[in-house]
Amino acid sequence: MRISKTLHYISSLAFCALFLLACKEDIDTSDRFTLRNETIASYLSKHQQFSEYCKLLNQVRISKKSKSTVMQLLSARGHYTVFAPTNEAIRSYLDSLAHRGVISEASWDAFATTRQADSIRQTIVYNSIIDPGGFDSNGNGILYYTGSFPSAENEELASPVLSDRKLTIRRGQMGPDSIWVNKTAPMSMRNRDIPAINGVIHQMDGVVALGNDALTDLLRSFLDEKRGSFQVAAKLVLACGLNDTLGKIRDERYEELYETGRLIDLSTHPTEGSIGYLPEHRKYGFTLFAETDDFWRQAIGKDPTDISIEDVKQYLIGQGVYPNATTDNKYSDPKNIVYQFITYHLLPCRIPVDKLVVHYNEQGYNPKTNTLGVPMYELYTSMGERRLLKIYESRESGGVYLNRFPNLDSGRKGTYGELSCDPDKTGIFVDRDKASLEAVNAIIYPINQLLWYSEETRDNLHRQRLRWDVSSMFPEFMNNDIRGQTITTARNMTVGIPSDNEYKYFQDMDILEGTKFYYLLGREKGWPNYLGDEFNVIGRYEIILRLPPVPRKGTYELRIGTSVGVPYRSIAQVYWGSNKNALPAIGIPLDFRMNGLYVMTDGGNTPSPVGWEEDTKDDDQNAEVDKKMRNNGFMKGLKIYCAGSPLTPMSGRDLYYEIRRIMLTETMDPDVVYYLKLKNVIDSDKKQLFLDYIELCPKEVYNNPMTPEDIW
């Protein structure tokens, strides 16, 4: 459970009341209840239609460790958003439990045990209240009026409810002004946005129901109940022996260590002045891109309930999918065609609708209006055999696509927008509006074309520069709501990760003893970072990163984006190879104190040999500067993003301290796992390693005599 932090509020009671009144949505209030000078608890208690809900609030405790009830919580100062179900909504919910056979009749007395009844009471209450325990950038408590709800279907509210789950919003199912929460609970058309001294109330005509099934259980229910749009996908996943993996929800060992205080927050970051707050959880998550049953019905010519694994296998063979795979019935064998097919549809992180492609400060993007700018993409490593899946979005594409490879206006004076897209490179549309969010640990996105890691996809990936925001390489950042956070509290902006000798948090990163690992979110600070975040590693650090796979065997440059505008950086030895326990050193240590113009040290700045010069109107001259920098092992920063907050006029390429470091050039094989180790060689425990993004660039791109690599 998410522990309430209500004792830490700093706004006065009068200020909260005025703020709430000023922020409420401007809707018709002629026929609804209003509240000006009461707490949420006192308001609910005075209105008969909430009497059943009030009973639950008085019965359910804030946490196992507290004797205080949730009703007492709603009587205190705070900033609560309450989705309050009416008596009729609760009775309807009990009716649904009786219909499903959970209880014999729609009564609290019908539960088999007191424990079961208490669990349902807690579920109703915990799923109905958001207590962010934080403030926005202006110091105002975070509340959710309907006017601030996301406009996109299935997009989640940024703050979780007390059960540590997030609510999604759907509009227009019963008229243009109708709002449904998690598809199951309609909000009152009249009694919404009711301001209270300590929050806002929305009357709900249904109970907010959040499923507790893991992905494995949800897929089984699709088959047992013959329901949903993903019955064939469920058969494929379950046949491949992924049940245990996809049944994981969270690491209980981490929960125990965190709750008992055996894992403690990192000390205050020396320059940010904030504690490195450890994540409250270590959750597992999954994303499944699934061909719909309608696709399989048309492809195979049978009703989905009658389609067998053998039918799908023969169809895949006929389509030439994974021709080197085995075709027997050992579906759990990683070499099997069915296993290779379905695991490419699975990612080891739960990616919400609004984060399939993370947007922040790319050129032209306006977060206030959610207006898209230049095209953006994410690269994820699939489950099973490690393969790249590209998730792409642009204002020209009209949505999110998998493995889309358009023609971009990527010249030095171009816009980087889509010029066109060849018919065989348009990719596969992801229908976010119809995503299934029923599983507690996963989201299923429907697709209506056959998805597989074809030779054409691999070739297309090999023809482009591959770029990762560093946090996107590690599923734990997405699964635990760290990456892409929009609530800029201290806890979200300075996240600490324990070293491995205390607890190994990342599967794909080793954090050795003596390393202080901070993830810093620069939103609201105007940092000139790609997507506004960074890794900031301090101390006598030593970290090892497992790199993503390459699409084809060939020569690649490995580059790291870094920012050197302060004298806090370090010198690091680089190690690279395929044997994590015996990585060879690559060259001499790299001086990360060096930017385009200076070497920045505690004793002052000295000229650097990088060769950076500001761009001029002469493109030939600019290209010569780029060539000179490459010869020195450097590149300018990226033109694709604003060097600061969204819509900042300068790009990363325009700043001398935003540079790319070419760390190594090596032959890489898609069937080999490679590791990168960075180790501090300065005798200091205060210097920093800064990592912003990583690029793997094929020789066919950076050394192409016909089409030079673009500056974006």
Side-chain angles (χ1 to χ4, degrees):
M1 173 191 155
R2 183 173 175 271
I3 303 300
S4 174
K5 305 173 181 68
T6 58
L7 297 180
H8 301 291
Y9 295 114
I10 59 173
S11 296
S12 69
L13 205 59
F15 178 83
C16 287
L18 291 172
F19 168 72
L20 294 170
L21 291 172
C23 291
K24 75 180 185 68
E25 185 184 20
D26 186 14
I27 63 174
D28 181 12
T29 61
S30 60
D31 191 20
R32 70 165 197 175
F33 300 105
T34 58
L35 177 63
R36 304 285 180 179
N37 299 304
E38 293 188 86
T39 65
I40 292 172
S42 62
Y43 172 79
L44 294 173
S45 299
K46 288 182 178 181
H47 292 87
Q48 179 59 31
Q49 77 270 29
F50 297 119
S51 60
E52 286 296 316
Y53 183 53
C54 287
K55 287 181 183 178
L56 302 185
L57 294 175
N58 280 307
Q59 291 171 322
V60 175
R61 294 189 300 173
I62 297 172
S63 71
K64 294 179 181 179
K65 298 179 180 179
S66 174
K67 294 182 179 180
S68 299
T69 66
V70 177
M71 181 63 91
Q72 290 172 305
L73 182 74
L74 299 180
S75 301
R77 290 187 180 187
H79 304 92
Y80 309 104
T81 302
V82 178
F83 299 88
T86 63
N87 297 343
E88 184 178 349
I90 293 175
R91 282 195 295 270
S92 295
Y93 183 67
L94 293 177
D95 279 336
S96 71
L97 295 181
H99 180 74
R100 288 161 46 198
V102 176
I103 50 180
S104 58
E105 59 177 316
S107 168
W108 289 107
D109 297 328
F111 286 92
T113 64
T114 301
R115 183 176 180 178
Q116 185 185 32
D118 288 344
S119 176
I120 295 297
R121 292 187 182 100
Q122 179 174 296
T123 296
I124 295 173
V125 170
Y126 280 10
N127 290 340
S128 66
I129 301 170
I130 295 178
D131 170 21
F135 300 84
D136 64 19
S137 59
N138 297 317
N140 302 317
I142 301 167
L143 293 172
Y144 291 93
Y145 285 87
T146 56
S148 65
F149 286 177
S151 58
E153 295 292 276
N154 283 327
E155 187 172 340
E156 296 176 338
L157 298 180
S159 299
V161 290
L162 294 180
S163 62
D164 200 41
R165 304 282 297 281
K166 289 191 173 184
L167 305 182
T168 58
I169 302 298
R170 291 185 71 90
R171 299 174 184 269
Q173 290 182 248
M174 296 179 64
D177 295 325
S178 68
I179 295 175
W180 287 62
V181 180
N182 282 67
K183 298 183 181 181
T184 60
M187 184 180 292
S188 169
M189 297 287 283
R190 294 180 301 169
N191 296 323
R192 55 175 72 167
D193 296 318
I194 305 169
I197 289 174
N198 59 345
V200 60
I201 305 164
H202 305 294
Q203 178 176 309
M204 302 301 297
D205 296 333
V207 168
V208 177
L210 297 172
N212 294 315
D213 286 343
L215 180 56
T216 297
D217 299 322
L218 178 64
L219 296 176
R220 285 199 189 101
S221 75
F222 289 165
L223 300 179
D224 293 343
E225 301 170 20
K226 294 182 172 56
R227 68 178 180 90
S229 303
F230 307 108
Q231 294 182 49
V232 176
K235 294 176 185 179
L236 298 176
V237 172
L238 296 176
C240 291
L242 301 170
N243 306 20
D244 290 344
T245 298
L246 303 182
K248 294 180 179 179
I249 295 176
R250 63 183 186 181
D251 187 336
E252 296 300 337
R253 175 60 176 163
Y254 182 84
E255 298 288 320
E256 177 189 357
L257 294 174
Y258 182 85
E259 289 293 336
T260 57
R262 281 179 281 177
L263 289 175
I264 60 173
D265 296 329
L266 269 63
S267 58
T268 300
H269 189 281
T271 59
E272 294 308 303
S274 176
I275 290 172
Y277 294 97
L278 296 188
E280 295 185 22
H281 307 285
R282 186 175 185 267
K283 299 177 183 177
Y284 300 101
F286 307 94
T287 298
L288 171 61
F289 298 101
E291 290 88 356
T292 63
D293 288 340
D294 283 342
F295 168 87
W296 292 113
R297 181 184 289 108
Q298 295 178 25
I300 294 178
K302 290 184 178 181
D303 188 270
T305 58
D306 298 325
I307 295 175
S308 67
I309 305 297
E310 182 66 21
D311 291 331
V312 175
K313 183 178 73 175
Q314 292 304 321
Y315 175 79
L316 296 178
I317 293 171
Q319 296 296 311
V321 172
Y322 301 118
N324 297 322
T326 59
T327 56
D328 55 27
N329 294 337
K330 297 178 181 178
Y331 304 126
S332 60
D333 182 350
K335 297 181 180 179
N336 186 274
I337 186 172
V338 175
Y339 188 95
Q340 291 194 8
F341 175 74
I342 199 60
T343 52
Y344 186 61
H345 293 62
L346 282 161
L347 301 179
C349 52
R350 180 187 180 277
I351 310 178
V353 166
D354 59 313
K355 294 182 182 178
L356 283 169
V357 177
V358 174
H359 299 283
Y360 173 58
N361 62 350
E362 66 266 28
Q363 296 286 349
Y365 176 66
N366 188 333
K368 293 183 178 179
T369 61
N370 203 29
T371 302
L372 295 179
V374 296
M376 293 290 288
Y377 68 83
E378 305 280 347
L379 291 170
Y380 284 100
T381 303
S382 71
M383 295 180 63
E385 182 180 333
R386 301 174 77 238
R387 296 155 291 180
L388 293 179
L389 181 67
K390 180 182 181 181
I391 308 178
Y392 173 96
E393 184 176 25
S394 73
R395 57 189 166 203
E396 296 88 358
S397 67
V400 171
Y401 283 78
L402 305 179
N403 294 337
R404 181 180 178 90
F405 301 94
N407 302 306
L408 302 177
D409 185 14
S410 58
R412 287 181 177 267
K413 291 184 172 64
T415 65
Y416 207 60
E418 284 194 30
L419 296 173
S420 62
C421 192
D422 301 337
D424 60 338
K425 298 178 183 177
T426 55
I428 299 174
F429 177 70
V430 178
D431 194 342
R432 292 176 288 182
D433 291 352
K434 297 180 180 178
S436 169
L437 294 91
E438 296 176 76
V440 66
N441 65 340
I443 298 179
I444 307 174
Y445 290 99
I447 56 176
N448 281 307
Q449 291 176 254
L450 196 68
L451 173 64
W452 65 293
Y453 199 49
S454 65
E455 295 301 306
E456 292 76 16
T457 296
R458 296 177 65 184
D459 287 341
N460 288 328
L461 287 166
H462 190 62
R463 296 186 188 108
Q464 74 167 73
R465 172 187 53 233
L466 307 172
R467 181 182 296 146
W468 292 262
D469 180 73
V470 283
S471 61
S472 71
M473 295 166 53
F474 307 97
E476 292 84 0
F477 280 105
M478 189 66 75
N479 289 337
N480 295 282
D481 200 26
I482 300 172
R483 185 177 185 226
Q485 258 289 356
T486 57
I487 299 177
T488 52
T489 60
R491 175 171 288 277
N492 292 334
M493 296 187 73
T494 310
V495 177
I497 304 295
S499 60
D500 288 359
N501 64 302
E502 298 177 82
Y503 180 87
K504 184 171 175 56
Y505 195 83
F506 295 119
Q507 179 178 338
D508 291 339
M509 186 193 313
D510 295 342
I511 304 175
L512 279 66
E513 191 171 3
T515 305
K516 291 184 178 180
F517 188 101
Y518 297 88
Y519 170 82
L520 302 182
L521 186 65
R523 298 188 179 197
E524 306 296 337
K525 293 190 175 184
W527 289 350
N529 297 353
Y530 179 63
L531 294 178
D533 61 355
E534 67 183 65
F535 286 1
N536 199 278
V537 189
I538 300 177
R540 290 178 170 82
Y541 60 79
E542 187 173 352
I543 61 171
I544 304 174
L545 316 179
R546 182 166 76 155
L547 297 174
V550 295
R552 290 287 190 196
K553 186 174 182 178
T555 302
Y556 293 81
E557 279 185 351
L558 172 61
R559 311 162 180 166
I560 287 185
T562 186
S563 178
V564 190
V566 291
Y568 311 138
R569 309 302 188 220
S570 60
I571 300 174
Q573 178 63 58
V574 177
Y575 303 79
W576 177 87
S578 58
N579 183 350
K580 185 173 72 171
N581 298 316
L583 295 173
I586 303 296
I588 62 173
L590 296 184
D591 192 344
F592 285 102
R593 304 172 303 174
M594 191 181 299
N595 64 36
L597 297 179
Y598 307 107
V599 179
M600 304 190 73
T601 68
D602 294 334
N605 300 339
T606 57
S608 78
V610 172
W612 187 96
E613 295 180 29
E614 186 176 358
D615 279 351
T616 68
K617 295 181 180 180
D618 186 340
D619 284 345
D620 291 336
Q621 170 64 22
N622 299 336
E624 283 300 314
V625 172
D626 289 343
K627 183 178 180 180
K628 178 174 63 175
M629 289 182 63
R630 280 190 57 83
N631 290 337
N632 292 329
F634 295 88
M635 298 176 68
K636 287 188 176 182
L638 310 177
K639 188 176 181 180
I640 195 172
Y641 76 95
C642 302
S645 301
L647 303 179
T648 299
M650 296 185 71
S651 75
R653 181 176 172 83
D654 298 325
L655 298 183
Y656 68 87
Y657 50 83
E658 293 292 301
I659 57 174
R660 284 175 278 180
R661 192 79 186 243
I662 302 173
M663 305 191 73
L664 54 92
T665 303
E666 296 285 348
T667 299
M668 300 187 191
D669 190 310
D671 297 324
V672 178
V673 178
Y674 297 102
Y675 299 89
L676 175 71
K677 181 167 78 169
L678 296 163
K679 182 178 181 180
N680 184 16
V681 297
I682 294 181
D683 187 19
S684 171
D685 58 4
K686 297 180 181 179
K687 296 300 181 182
Q688 305 172 354
L689 172 68
F690 174 104
L691 300 178
D692 192 359
Y693 54 90
I694 284 181
E695 293 179 343
L696 283 171
C697 189
K699 185 176 181 180
E700 288 78 356
V701 174
Y702 71 77
N703 194 29
N704 190 319
M706 301 298 294
T707 308
E709 181 182 353
D710 66 62
I711 63 176
W712 294 86

